[in-house]
Structure formats: C-alpha cells, structure tokens
Amino acid sequence: YGKHPKQIKAIFVTHGHSDHFEGIFPLLSQSFFVYRDASYDILFPSKKQADALCECASVAHLDYPFPHDRLRFHIPTEGETAAVYDDGVVKATYIPVSPHEGVPHFSVMIEAEGKTLLFTGDLSERLKDDDFPKVAYEREIDLVVCEYAHIQAEHLEPCIQKSLAKQFVFNH
C-alpha cells in the first residue's frame, strides 16, 4: 500500500481464526531482517497462537530469536474489558464477546481525534449470548464495522435498531 512497516504502530486482531490474522506472518517474517527499524505492538487474543507465530517466524529464520523488543505481542485477558493500547493518539479497548467455535473473541473499540470506531469481530449465526458488543447500546459510536459472514440480516437488525451508533459498515 505504499507504506513502510515502520509506519505501523499497532495491529489489532479480534480473534484467532486464520482468515483474520494470516497476513501477520509475512510482516513478522520481513521484520526480522528487512525492516529492522520497524517496531509495533500486536494485540492478539490467543497466547497459544501468538507463541506459535513467534516460533514459526523464528524457525523460518534459521532459529534466529524472535525480536520481542520490536515486535511486541499483548494478550488481553479473556472475559475482561480493558484498554490494551494507548499511545496518546490512539486508544484501543478490547471488549470480550461470546467465543465463536471455541475461540476467544473480542470486539475492538478504537478512539482517536474525538471519534469512536467499533469492530465487532465475527458474529455467530443467531447472535447468541453476548455476541454483539453491548458498548454499542451504552454510548454513542461514530462507526461500527460489523462482521457479516456468519449472520443473517434479520438477526442483526434488532442490534442495529437498539444501538447508539451513527453508522454501520459491513465486511468480512
């Protein structure tokens, strides 16, 4: 995209399904030797998977030690809402939602320049339990980026109506 990896400050992953994080590996791999001036925080919801990524990247580079001083993984506590990143410009809060297919899931609320953006992460087919982040009902959100791969519109409509969000965007 014409950006140098040293311009990346943080990476936020909502959950450990491969279609949501497999692009991290090439970045980690290149950051070993090519982009030595790159340094970023990676917010990843699974310690086991983060450890496996680090190990895989190290093995791919002839067992060179993973550069934890430049490529820092942070694992949110499952079931706990917490601000996990704040560089004075961007603040990210991980909000736990129902696990999907046994994998811990988080919504990620990003706050910057007086705006609030909420990424829902995967939503289950019928919005079971606490799938949809309740924060969208409790405070005004400028934009909700809603995962729309496993759910039907009629199940999501009540959440949209109840929310205080100004806008929704749907993706996968």
Side-chain angles (χ1 to χ4, degrees):
Y1 296 107
K3 303 289 182 191
H4 190 280
K6 73 179 180 184
Q7 293 175 282
I8 297 171
K9 301 299 178 205
I11 299 167
F12 308 107
V13 179
T14 59
H15 61 285
H17 288 156
S18 63
D19 61 327
H20 291 264
F21 75 85
E22 54 194 21
I24 290 176
F25 184 76
L27 181 63
L28 294 179
S29 182
Q30 290 296 309
S31 295
F32 263 81
F33 299 113
V34 179
Y35 304 123
R36 288 178 184 245
D37 55 349
S39 174
Y40 32 85
D41 294 287
I42 304 165
L43 293 298
F44 205 86
S46 166
K47 180 171 179 11
K48 183 178 179 181
Q49 288 176 319
D51 290 346
L53 278 170
C54 294
E55 181 65 21
C56 187
S58 293
V59 169
H61 290 90
L62 306 172
D63 287 326
Y64 189 85
F66 189 84
H68 290 283
D69 59 324
R70 295 185 299 108
L71 310 175
R72 298 167 300 277
F73 277 88
H74 305 277
I75 312 301
T77 303
E78 190 173 347
E80 182 179 309
T81 297
V84 292
Y85 180 82
D86 190 343
D87 67 2
V89 177
V90 173
K91 178 181 175 185
T93 302
Y94 267 41
I95 302 162
V97 292
S98 293
H100 184 69
E101 298 176 354
V103 176
H105 275 59
F106 292 85
S107 291
V108 181
M109 185 168 59
I110 308 287
E111 298 171 273
E113 299 180 3
K115 301 285 185 185
T116 303
L117 174 65
L118 179 66
F119 289 89
T120 67
D122 273 351
L123 299 172
S124 63
E125 187 176 330
R126 293 192 178 267
L127 284 176
K128 64 179 175 111
D129 304 322
D130 293 322
D131 241 2
F132 195 83
K134 303 296 185 257
V135 69
Y137 307 144
E138 300 163 354
R139 63 176 281 191
E140 187 173 274
I141 306 287
D142 292 290
L143 177 65
V144 175
V145 179
C146 194
E147 190 73 33
Y148 195 66
H150 310 286
I151 189 168
Q152 295 177 5
E154 61 266 16
H155 298 131
L156 189 55
E157 186 176 0
C159 298
I160 293 171
Q161 295 300 323
K162 186 177 173 183
S163 83
L164 302 176
K166 293 179 182 178
Q167 294 181 27
F168 276 80
V169 173
F170 302 93
N171 78 322
H172 185 259

